[in-house]
């Protein structure tokens, strides 16, 4: 659901033209290579023979192509960087079709003083999240927000909060907002303190709200624009503080609750839930994942979207059996750290990203040593979370699948499965033949044994059997020792998959000197700042591309024990680019800048005069 309508971009400056020419050159080199390859004479074995000049004898690997595309995407993003208030407001009006909110100048100054890289697109998520609220009466939003159980409030430049019981996340989010309180208008920010997102409004209803926003979007004359928020005096003097009934649904099959948030023409909208989760997942992919480029993720938005991949209803714990569930179908301004594409939460940086705890980052100054000193292996540690795994459903959980697929022993067992060759407990190697890899079937298991160190630290069995026992999954998983984040950074590759919701360690991984390989169905505040294949490696939620990704970066061990055809230098470059970029645009300062901008917009959409509130000082009023 892409709500943000991009307005025509501004006229090219000579500077941008130059960049475009450079990119065009790059592109020609790339496509030229492919063209030469196709025209080169071939012998019977299909190997090109040298002509007048050396000709590459292999087609570019699909990942080579994706890497180039990522560079191009990044350059066109950075061509939009704005360096002063005037161009920032211009970029705002072009992209959003409104005047910036009151306080935009102070916000811009704060961002600049704190060294922010300023690209209007970095804030797209805010508009995606807030757009539907323009279709609801402002008074309704104010009342809903004020009466919720957990709320951070700002009045007269001071942040306070209320909560039902002591909660670490409330402390953290309050602290974050407090840091910027003196720049903020009066707001009530209801907070989701659960792991799982909680708002799913039927797509048709959101669509109606979105078209209302579209109709109300305009640029009033500067003389008609108001620069002061009304404030929340009315909310504070309301007679009744009875909470708005949001009708949270606490039971039921989550997939059926969730898919009504998918567009009606999407593959998932009409597909009802699966209820029998016993045995391996039935949908055995023997083709590349949908929307992929020769098997590898080319559109990260699509790869993350369960609306486009109904098979996830039986292969992701969030749909198989979430640990906790409490969902409303009422549009309500709930702020939270992550959400699914069908959710209507307003995203803020997850509380754990604001904490300094070593558990999530490896420690503030621990980002790993030099690449050359790292083990040429992938490492993964974590709990068997993802939802409530039980005897009758555990084979459908993403973490169980990932661990079985990278466990050399279990892959060997699957390869030699006498009844159904390739069939494991949670996966089927049927897909393997469509990936043209050097590591052959029957060699896969032994290869993985040497290149992956992965295991559950706890099997989180249900019902609990104590002593780290889990009678139903014990034959296939043995708990391994915990490993600190900073010790994981002595491995080159860091695969990352969802737990009960998004994975909280990803932020630490991005800042490390190792390479994150990421699969998820969850959205986060930072998504439009990161370019897949440039700052991290994206992975499909079926994980069928993982072997290909590893082989591309590591190469294959030959008989002498050396790796051939590796792209180690590329892996190092992405790892370092991700780290350097995270240090520029995912800093604690960037979280504050994002939240400040978000709350200016939120205060406006909660104000009865919202259509005429704006910042227009730059227009020479
Ligand atoms: C905020 O300031 C206004 C005006 O100075 C005052 O009337 C109001 O009581 C203050 N509100 C709070 C919560 O301090
Ligand atoms: C509050 O209650 C009083 C007396 O019942 C009434 O006159 C007033 O309109 C109420 N105000 C609101 C905002 O409901
Ligand atoms: C889903 O069902 C509705 C109503 O029956 C129909 O209009 C729509 O086209 C269907 N969507 C898909 C993707 O089949
Ligand atoms: C990726 O997919 C989304 C959703 O289908 C689409 O809006 C977007 O334009 C695509 N991005 C690219 C780079 O193709
Ligand atoms: C790897 O797989 C084998 C065979 O299924 C299993 O016995 C072993 O416990 C697994 N290892 C880990 C670390 O889970």
């Amino acid at each position: 659901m892409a709500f943000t309508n991009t307005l025509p971009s501004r006229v090219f400056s000579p500077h941008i033209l130059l960049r475009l020419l450079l990119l065009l050159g790059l592109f020609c080199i790339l496509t030229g290579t492919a063209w030469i390859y196709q025209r080169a004479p071939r012998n019977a074995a299909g190997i090109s023979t040298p002509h007048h000049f050396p000709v590459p004898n292999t087609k570019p690997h699909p990942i080579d192509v994706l890497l180039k595309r990522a560079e191009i995407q990044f350059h066109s993003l950075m061509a939009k960087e704005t360096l002063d208030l005037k161009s920032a407001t211009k970029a705002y009006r072009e992209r959003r079709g409104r005047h910036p909110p009151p306080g935009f100048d102070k916000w811009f100054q704060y961002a600049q003083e704190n060294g922010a890289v300023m690209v209007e697109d970095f804030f797209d998520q805010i508009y995606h999240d807030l757009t539907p609220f323009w279709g609801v009466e402002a008074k309704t939003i104010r009342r809903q927000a004020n009466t919720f159980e957990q709320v951070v409030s700002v009045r007269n430049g001071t942040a306070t909060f209320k909560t039902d019981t002591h909660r670490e996340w409330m402390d953290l989010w309050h602290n974050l907002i407090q840091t910027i309180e003196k720049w903020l208008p009066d707001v009530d920010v209801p907070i989701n303190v659960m792991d799982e997102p909680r708002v799913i409004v039927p797509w048709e209803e959101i669509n109606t709200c979105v078209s209302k926003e579209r109709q109300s979007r305009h640029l009033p004359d500067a003389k008609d624009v108001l620069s002061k928020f009304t404030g929340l005096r009315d909310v504070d003097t309301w007679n009744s503080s009875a909470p708005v009934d949001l009708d949270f649904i606490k039971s039921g099959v989550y997939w059926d609750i969730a898919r009504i948030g998918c567009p009606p023409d999407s593959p998932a909208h009409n597909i009802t839930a699966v209820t029998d989760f016993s045995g391996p997942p039935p949908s055995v992919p023997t083709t590349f994942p949908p929307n992929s480029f020769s098997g590898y993720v080319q559109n990260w938005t699509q790869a993350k979207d369960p609306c486009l991949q109904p098979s996830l209803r039986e292969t992701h714990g969030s749909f198989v059996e979430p640990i906790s569930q409490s969902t409303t179908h009422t549009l309500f301004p709930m702020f939270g750290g992550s959400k699914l594409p069908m959710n209507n939460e307003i995203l803020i940086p997850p509380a754990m990203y604001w904490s300094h705890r070593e558990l999530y980052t490896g420690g503030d100054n621990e980002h790993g040593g030099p690449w050359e000193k790292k083990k040429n292996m992938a490492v993964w540690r974590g709990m068997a979370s993802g939802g409530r795994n039980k005897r009758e459903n555990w084979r459908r959980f993403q973490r169980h699948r990932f661990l079985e697929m990278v466990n050399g022993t279990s892959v060997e067992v699957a390869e030699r499965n006498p009844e159904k060759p390739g069939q494991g407990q949670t996966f089927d190697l049927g897909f393997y033949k469509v990936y043209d890899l050097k590591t052959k079937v029957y060699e896969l298991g032994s290869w993985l044994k040497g290149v992956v160190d992965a295991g559950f630290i706890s099997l989180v069995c249900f019902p609990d059997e104590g002593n780290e026992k889990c009678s139903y999954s014990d034959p296939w998983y043995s708990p391994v020792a915990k490993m600190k984040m900073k010790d994981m950074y002595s491995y080159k590759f860091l695969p990352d998959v969802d737990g009960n919701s998004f994975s909280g360690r990803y932020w630490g991984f991005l800042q490390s000197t190792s390479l994150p390989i990421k699969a998820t169905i969850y959205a986060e505040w930072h998504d439009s700042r990161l370019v897949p294949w440039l700052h991290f490696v994206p992975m499909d939620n079926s994980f069928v591309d993982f072997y290909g990704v590893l082989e591309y970066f590591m190469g294959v061990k030959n008989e002498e024990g050396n790796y051939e055809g590796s792209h180690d230098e590329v892996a190092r470059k992405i790892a370092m680019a991700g780290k350097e970029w995270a240090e520029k645009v995912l800093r604690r300062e960037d979280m504050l800048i994002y939240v400040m901008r978000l709350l200016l917009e939120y205060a406006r959409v909660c104000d009865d005069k919202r259509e005429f509130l704006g910042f227009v000082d730059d227009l020479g009023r």
Side-chain angles (χ1 to χ4, degrees):
M1 288 187 283
F3 297 140
T4 349
N5 260 345
T6 313
L7 293 160
S9 63
R10 63 202 157 118
V11 182
F12 289 136
S13 70
H15 181 60
I16 293 171
L17 268 179
L18 198 75
R19 286 193 192 195
L20 275 178
L21 278 175
L22 268 170
L23 291 178
L24 193 71
L26 244 172
F27 191 70
C28 288
I29 292 168
L30 185 77
T31 45
T33 320
W35 180 77
I36 291 165
Y37 164 72
Q38 298 204 332
R39 295 289 303 271
R42 305 173 130 254
N43 63 22
I47 296 166
S48 315
T49 45
H51 211 50
H52 300 297
F53 44 83
V55 172
N57 62 0
T58 49
K59 249 197 333 205
H61 191 286
I63 293 179
D64 293 332
V65 177
L66 293 166
L67 295 168
K68 278 284 175 266
R69 284 196 203 162
E71 259 172 55
I72 294 172
Q73 190 193 335
F74 184 66
H75 281 104
S76 66
L77 191 62
M78 290 315 290
K80 301 185 199 175
E81 186 175 358
T82 54
L83 298 170
D84 56 36
L85 179 62
K86 205 160 176 59
S87 47
T89 51
K90 187 161 175 276
Y92 184 103
R93 291 190 182 97
E94 278 169 3
R95 197 158 179 86
R96 314 296 171 203
R98 295 181 186 277
H99 292 301
F104 190 84
D105 51 343
K106 302 270 175 2
W107 170 80
F108 186 82
Q109 192 187 346
Y110 180 90
Q112 252 192 344
E113 283 170 7
N114 285 284
V117 177
M118 191 60 71
V119 175
E120 183 54 31
D121 305 38
F122 288 179
F123 302 94
D124 282 355
Q125 188 69 45
I126 293 178
Y127 299 88
H128 180 92
D129 298 349
L130 288 183
T131 291
F133 291 94
W134 286 86
V136 180
E137 239 196 329
K139 192 174 163 190
T140 308
I141 316 172
R142 291 201 297 279
R143 195 167 131 68
Q144 287 173 328
N146 185 260
T147 57
F148 196 63
E149 251 184 322
Q150 295 91 12
V151 182
V152 179
S153 292
V154 179
R155 295 290 185 277
N156 292 348
T158 302
T160 56
F161 72 105
K162 65 171 177 181
T163 177
D164 50 338
T165 167
H166 176 256
R167 294 175 185 273
E168 192 194 354
W169 285 12
M170 288 305 292
D171 294 344
L172 286 164
W173 268 315
H174 171 244
N175 180 271
L176 189 158
I177 291 176
Q178 202 174 28
T179 313
I180 48 175
E181 61 187 5
K182 67 174 179 180
W183 285 270
L184 297 177
D186 288 4
V187 280
D188 287 324
V189 181
I191 300 272
N192 179 10
V193 292
M194 280 175 48
D195 271 354
E196 296 86 352
R198 303 179 61 187
V199 186
I200 299 175
V201 183
W203 186 89
E204 292 78 0
E205 214 174 292
I206 291 296
N207 198 36
T208 306
C209 290
V210 169
S211 21
K212 283 190 189 158
E213 188 279 338
R214 190 69 197 83
Q215 285 156 18
S216 77
R217 198 189 294 169
H218 68 148
L219 290 164
D221 265 3
K223 66 175 170 31
D224 299 329
V225 172
L226 307 167
S227 61
K228 280 214 163 26
F229 292 109
T230 310
L232 293 178
R233 194 87 58 83
D234 69 331
V235 179
D236 294 335
T237 54
W238 253 325
N239 293 350
S240 152
S241 61
V244 177
D245 189 7
L246 294 168
D247 254 335
F248 282 102
I249 310 164
K250 303 214 157 122
S251 59
V253 182
Y254 191 63
W255 174 259
D256 286 335
I257 293 172
R259 66 189 170 86
I260 65 170
C262 292
D265 58 353
S266 69
H269 190 273
N270 291 354
I271 298 201
T272 52
V274 168
T275 46
D276 178 6
F277 295 117
S278 58
S283 47
V284 177
T286 48
T287 53
F288 290 139
N291 311 313
S292 69
F293 179 70
S294 303
Y296 300 95
V297 173
Q298 65 174 333
N299 183 322
W300 186 224
T301 313
Q302 292 176 340
K304 290 190 299 183
D305 192 352
C307 293
L308 300 176
Q309 299 160 78
S311 63
L312 285 168
R313 76 194 184 287
E314 49 183 336
T315 51
H316 198 288
S318 296
F319 301 118
V320 173
E321 185 160 344
I323 292 275
S324 44
Q325 179 173 326
S326 172
T327 299
T328 177
H329 287 316
T330 306
L331 186 59
F332 165 83
M334 174 95 82
F335 289 72
S338 74
K339 66 172 175 179
L340 300 170
M342 50 274 256
N343 285 118
N344 301 99
E345 258 86 349
I346 301 166
L347 291 179
I348 45 177
M352 46 189 79
Y353 290 180
W354 189 249
S355 99
H356 287 278
R357 276 167 64 188
E358 208 186 312
L359 178 63
Y360 299 121
T361 60
D364 281 347
N365 299 310
E366 285 292 348
H367 303 298
W371 183 261
E372 305 72 44
K373 295 245 168 74
K374 292 178 196 279
K375 293 196 186 86
N376 195 24
M377 288 178 82
V379 69
W380 191 91
R381 286 291 181 284
M383 301 206 292
S385 62
R388 184 172 292 111
N389 85 78
K390 302 192 287 206
R391 182 177 302 277
E392 57 274 20
N393 70 14
W394 68 271
R395 290 179 181 82
R396 310 305 181 84
F397 282 78
Q398 68 275 11
R399 289 191 165 187
H400 289 78
R401 177 168 65 257
F402 182 72
L403 278 201
E404 203 197 1
M405 285 177 76
V406 299
N407 177 334
T409 312
S410 54
V411 168
E412 251 169 16
V413 172
E415 284 173 323
R416 291 172 172 71
N417 186 336
E419 276 146 44
K420 195 154 183 285
Q423 177 74 67
Q425 294 297 313
T426 61
F427 68 96
D428 190 308
L429 288 172
F431 68 85
Y432 195 71
K433 54 181 172 292
V434 299
Y435 284 84
D436 184 23
L437 303 187
K438 306 279 178 307
T439 311
K440 296 297 165 223
V441 178
Y442 295 110
E443 295 168 358
L444 199 51
S446 60
W447 173 60
L448 288 168
K449 282 182 193 171
V451 297
V452 182
D453 175 352
F456 285 132
I457 55 167
S458 163
L459 297 173
V460 234
C461 217
F462 188 88
D464 187 22
E465 298 174 16
N467 287 332
E468 277 316 323
K469 273 202 58 61
C470 190
S471 51
Y472 55 84
S473 63
D474 271 343
W476 294 284
Y477 305 92
S478 0
V480 295
K482 278 190 188 156
M483 191 185 282
K484 289 195 164 154
M485 293 267 287
K486 63 174 187 195
D487 296 327
M488 293 189 198
Y489 301 158
S490 58
Y491 294 72
K492 287 183 178 172
F493 303 96
L494 303 174
D496 189 37
V497 300
D498 292 336
N500 292 339
S501 65
F502 79 109
S503 154
R505 66 192 85 162
Y506 183 44
W507 191 58
F509 282 5
L510 281 167
Q511 295 173 70
S512 78
T513 53
S514 298
L515 178 63
I517 302 174
K518 172 82 172 169
T520 185
I521 58 173
Y522 286 91
E524 290 184 59
W525 72 284
H526 60 213
D527 289 348
S528 60
R529 303 177 170 222
L530 298 170
V531 178
W533 295 111
L534 187 73
H535 302 129
F536 69 97
V537 170
M539 169 165 64
D540 191 75
N541 284 292
S542 63
F543 315 130
V544 299
D545 46 352
F546 185 66
Y547 302 143
V549 164
L550 267 199
E551 194 184 275
Y552 175 84
F553 289 120
M554 286 186 180
V556 179
K557 232 181 205 171
N558 61 19
E559 313 227 311
E560 289 83 53
N562 301 318
Y563 285 93
E564 272 174 8
S566 83
H567 293 84
D568 186 65
E569 183 51 26
V570 180
R572 190 192 65 83
K573 260 176 73 179
I574 303 175
M576 294 316 291
K579 176 177 156 58
E580 279 160 24
W581 190 235
E583 284 165 358
K584 283 204 178 98
V585 303
L586 303 184
R587 305 161 306 154
R588 291 168 72 80
E589 291 87 339
D590 295 302
M591 297 185 205
L592 294 169
I593 291 162
Y594 184 91
V595 172
M596 197 191 295
R597 168 84 173 258
L598 169 64
L599 294 185
L600 291 180
E601 295 288 4
Y602 175 61
R604 173 159 69 173
V605 81
C606 288
D607 199 304
D608 292 336
K609 305 203 178 99
R610 61 192 178 189
E611 293 204 22
F612 290 92
L613 279 169
F615 171 79
V616 288
D617 289 1
D618 61 313
L619 301 179
R621 181 162 57 161

